[in-house]
């Protein structure tokens, strides 16, 4: 689990670096490399503080603001909706197109990423259970939230794919906000910049701290004492520096792909995080759990179903 969490934090941090910097470059005109350095400085500041205390209410407020911004940008995009853009197809075996497995890898990986939100149960679960010890709100609210995220993403895909020429989307290595800004002007650029800073910025800080803590936890007390306070900090900071260096290299060479990295992370890491580990945890809790929540979906504890879900995600992983 430690290896998977490290890979998850490493990959997401790289995605946040590329996504935020490329979007801010499109809206401000400053090179993405400048924004990467600024982001690294912001992350370093919070790492020296040691933690980031965020309440459920604050996260809920940020989510509402981001959702409103997403719908505003989407509605602006729909004002120039083009059916030909939305119905454009580039499928294997049609019109002489060869089979390209990389396309399906990105699609499956990005879609699987939508279901990784249940990791937030570990972040906010304790606070929610203090208000509702039965767990009823948590069990019912979480799948409802994932469904809402899916519907919002469908709206966003239709709005963007229906308003931006396919060739521009294919050529874009950052987020879709970059070609949207180029097509609709600085209003979308400003709204997109606010959206990215709010949506990815908080995650950027969270996963900088997570990767830092994962590295620090691997140091034994004896090693930490021998390195001293500054030495321990620098060793724990090393994976964060590595992510920054890779993001900077990708930005300079133009080799980074926001969707490509997200798709790879979604398959290789999310196969374990959203399909395999949760089912193992569920089966373990059914056997050894000390508390029974207010809502129990008994069919999920069926071993045949659990094995089928685990095999499905193993198939996706090895297929990739």
């Amino acid at each position: 689990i430690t290896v998977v969490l490290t890979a998850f934090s490493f990959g997401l941090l790289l995605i946040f670096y590329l996504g935020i910097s490329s979007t801010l470059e499109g809206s401000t005109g400053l090179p993405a490399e400048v924004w990467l350095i600024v982001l690294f400085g912001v992350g370093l500041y919070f790492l020296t503080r040691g933690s980031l205390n965020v309440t459920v209410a604050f996260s809920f407020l940020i989510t509402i603001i981001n959702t409103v911004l997403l719908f505003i940008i989407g509605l602006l995009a729909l004002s120039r909706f083009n059916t030909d853009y939305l119905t454009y197809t580039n499928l294997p075996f049609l019109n002489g197109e060869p089979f390209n497995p990389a396309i399906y890898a990105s699609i499956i990986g990005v879609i699987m990423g939508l279901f990784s939100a249940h990791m937030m149960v570990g972040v906010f679960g304790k606070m929610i259970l203090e208000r509702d010890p039965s767990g009823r709100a948590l069990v019912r609210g979480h799948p409802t939230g994932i469904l809402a995220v899916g519907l919002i993403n469908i709206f966003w895909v239709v709005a963007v794919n229906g308003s931006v020429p396919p060739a521009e989307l294919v050529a874009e290595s950052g987020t879709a906000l970059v070609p949207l800004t180029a097509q609709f002007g600085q209003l979308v650029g400003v709204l997109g910049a606010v959206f990215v800073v709010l949506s990815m910025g908080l995650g950027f800080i969270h996963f900088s701290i997570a990767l830092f803590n994962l590295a620090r936890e691997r140091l034994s007390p004896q090693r930490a004492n021998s390195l001293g306070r500054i030495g321990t900090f620098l060793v724990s900071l090393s994976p964060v520096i590595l992510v920054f260096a890779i993001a900077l290299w990708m930005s300079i060479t133009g080799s980074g792909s926001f969707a490509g990295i997200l798709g790879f992370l979604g398959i290789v890491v999310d196969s374990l995080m959203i399909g395999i580990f949760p089912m193992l945890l569920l089966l373990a809790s059914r056997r050894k759990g000390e508390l029974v929540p207010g809502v129990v979906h008994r069919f999920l504890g069926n071993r045949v179903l659990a094995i089928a879900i685990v095999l499905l995600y193993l198939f996706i992983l090895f297929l990739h």
Side-chain angles (χ1 to χ4, degrees), residues 38-123:
V38 172
L39 284 172
F40 180 74
V42 171
L44 188 62
Y45 167 74
F46 281 98
L47 289 174
T48 56
R49 293 187 60 185
S51 65
L52 175 66
N53 295 321
V54 179
T55 63
V56 173
F58 179 76
S59 298
F60 187 65
L61 176 63
I62 294 295
T63 301
I64 291 176
I65 295 173
N66 285 336
T67 304
V68 171
L69 288 172
L70 198 68
F71 273 104
I72 292 175
I73 298 172
L75 291 174
L76 288 173
L78 288 175
S79 65
R80 298 186 185 178
F81 185 81
N82 189 325
T83 306
D84 292 336
Y85 293 165
L86 185 64
T87 56
Y88 170 81
T89 57
N90 182 17
L91 296 174
F93 311 121
L94 293 180
N95 301 322
E97 291 291 333
F99 177 69
N100 186 359
I103 295 176
Y104 295 97
S106 295
I107 292 173
I108 294 172
V110 171
I111 292 174
M112 285 174 62
L114 301 180
F115 296 90
S116 63
H118 66 232
M119 289 187 63
M120 292 298 101
V121 171
V123 178

Side-chain angles (χ1 to χ4, degrees), residues 242-320:
L242 180 59
V243 175
F244 166 70
I246 294 175
L248 191 61
W249 175 78
M250 284 184 168
S251 179
I252 293 173
T253 60
S255 58
S257 171
F258 182 84
I261 298 173
L262 189 63
F264 176 82
L265 190 70
I267 288 180
V268 175
V269 178
D270 285 345
S271 295
L272 299 170
M273 298 297 290
I274 73 175
I276 297 176
F277 288 160
M279 294 311 300
L280 297 178
L281 287 169
L282 177 63
L283 292 178
S285 66
R286 291 287 172 92
R287 290 198 307 267
K288 302 179 181 180
E290 297 178 353
L291 299 175
V292 178
V295 177
V296 178
H297 303 299
R298 297 190 179 278
F299 70 95
L300 291 175
N302 185 287
R303 290 193 176 189
V304 175
L305 178 63
I307 292 172
I309 292 175
V310 169
L311 289 178
L312 171 64
Y313 282 95
L314 281 175
F315 172 75
I316 293 173
L317 180 62
F318 286 107
L319 179 66
H320 177 73

Side-chain angles (χ1 to χ4, degrees), residues 170-195:
V170 171
E172 179 56 50
S173 61
T175 67
L177 290 168
V178 177
L180 281 174
T181 300
Q183 186 162 342
F184 293 92
Q186 283 304 310
L187 175 60
V188 171
V190 172
L191 294 175
V194 174
F195 171 78

Side-chain angles (χ1 to χ4, degrees), residues 48 212 216 224-236:
T48 56
F212 177 87
R216 185 173 59 183
N225 290 333
S226 63
L227 290 172
R229 184 170 176 269
I230 297 178
T232 301
F233 178 82
L234 292 176
V235 171
S236 304

Side-chain angles (χ1 to χ4, degrees), residues 195-234:
F195 171 78
V196 164
V197 169
L198 289 178
S199 61
M200 295 189 189
L202 193 62
F204 168 79
I205 297 170
H206 269 303
F207 283 97
S208 293
I209 295 173
L211 193 58
F212 177 87
N213 289 337
L214 284 166
R216 185 173 59 183
E217 289 171 359
R218 305 313 299 170
L219 293 174
S220 64
Q222 296 79 7
R223 179 60 60 85
N225 290 333
S226 63
L227 290 172
R229 184 170 176 269
I230 297 178
T232 301
F233 178 82
L234 292 176

